[in-house]
Amino acid sequence: QFTPLVGGPDYVHCLLKPLESLATVEETVVREKAVDSLRLLAPEHSNSDLEAHFVPMLKRLAQGDWFTSRTSACGLVSVCYQRVSNATKMELRTLFRTLCSDDTPMVRRAAAAKFGECVKVIEIEHVKNELIPLFNNLAADEQDSVRLLAVEACVVIASLFKHEDVERYLLPALKQAIDDKSWRVRYVVAGKHY
């Protein structure tokens, strides 16, 4: 809510640096609040300021040494994707693919949690060609906390796909989730109405 205090939308980018710093801290509650603030500030940027300030910050977070910054980056891709150039969109999809395949389970969990949001804003052909393989990897992840979030993402993807695409792209992962060794994953599947 500091946008008016820094001179309005033309200067909103000056709030990114302190929030970027907070988005990397170890304390989860602080990190999540920083991401929430960044998500609110993204729409206040002009398209050119998104490209010049917000996206570079997102890239720094996504490529950070600590998992904390990478988990924060997962929540920011969807809020700027639709308003950037095609070249930047391609970079953001590449960043998101990297986050979905991160070595750290916490980052994969964060990516799985935001997968549905990203699917909603990314063009459907890129969802089919680029994101579905990532979804399948997350749905088969070694961590059940990642797999159950993939089930949530499956619901969002299914709502965007035609019936034949649901069968082609999602049914194998859904069948796998129904037979998952983790009761938590099976419980989430049982609670969904496809």
Side-chain angles (χ1 to χ4, degrees):
Q1 299 172 346
F2 275 22
T3 303
L5 304 178
V6 296
D10 290 345
Y11 302 97
V12 70
H13 59 84
C14 73
L15 296 172
L16 298 182
K17 198 67 181 163
L19 287 170
E20 177 182 354
S21 179
L22 291 170
T24 66
V25 299
E26 194 172 342
E27 181 54 54
T28 307
V29 178
V30 174
R31 217 169 50 237
E32 287 174 351
K33 286 292 183 188
V35 171
D36 289 346
S37 292
L38 287 165
R39 288 167 63 93
L40 291 172
L41 290 179
E44 297 189 15
H45 285 73
S46 67
N47 290 3
S48 59
D49 280 349
L50 268 182
E51 297 258 7
H53 302 288
F54 197 91
V55 171
M57 177 212 58
L58 171 51
K59 288 181 190 174
R60 288 191 299 273
L61 288 171
Q63 296 164 348
D65 292 334
W66 298 99
F67 80 88
T68 53
S69 71
R70 299 195 305 275
T71 57
S72 293
C74 295
L76 300 174
V77 174
S78 64
V79 294
C80 62
Y81 183 84
Q82 289 185 310
R83 294 178 51 216
V84 296
S85 68
N86 286 336
T88 304
K89 284 180 178 182
M90 191 166 74
E91 286 182 67
L92 291 178
R93 291 194 308 272
T94 301
L95 275 181
F96 192 66
R97 283 200 308 270
T98 304
L99 293 167
C100 287
S101 308
D102 198 275
D103 291 338
T104 311
M106 287 78 82
V107 179
R108 294 195 309 276
R109 192 178 312 135
K114 298 301 180 185
F115 203 91
E117 282 184 15
C118 288
V119 166
K120 286 179 184 176
V121 298
I122 293 174
E123 300 81 2
I124 201 79
E125 68 270 15
H126 296 307
V127 171
K128 290 177 182 176
N129 297 331
E130 299 175 33
L131 294 191
I132 289 297
L134 298 174
F135 163 75
N136 287 326
N137 290 344
L138 292 170
D141 196 90
E142 62 192 33
Q143 300 283 324
D144 67 346
S145 60
V146 175
R147 295 195 308 273
L148 64 87
L149 289 167
V151 172
E152 302 283 353
C154 184
V155 175
V156 177
I157 300 168
S159 71
L160 301 171
F161 278 10
K162 294 178 179 156
H163 180 72
E164 59 270 18
D165 287 336
V166 170
E167 285 190 9
R168 177 178 172 193
Y169 293 107
L170 301 178
L171 205 53
L174 184 55
K175 285 179 178 175
Q176 182 181 313
I178 290 168
D179 292 329
D180 198 277
K181 62 183 181 250
S182 167
W183 71 268
R184 297 193 321 152
V185 176
R186 296 193 311 272
Y187 179 82
V188 172
V189 174
K192 300 296 171 192
H193 303 286
Y194 289 92

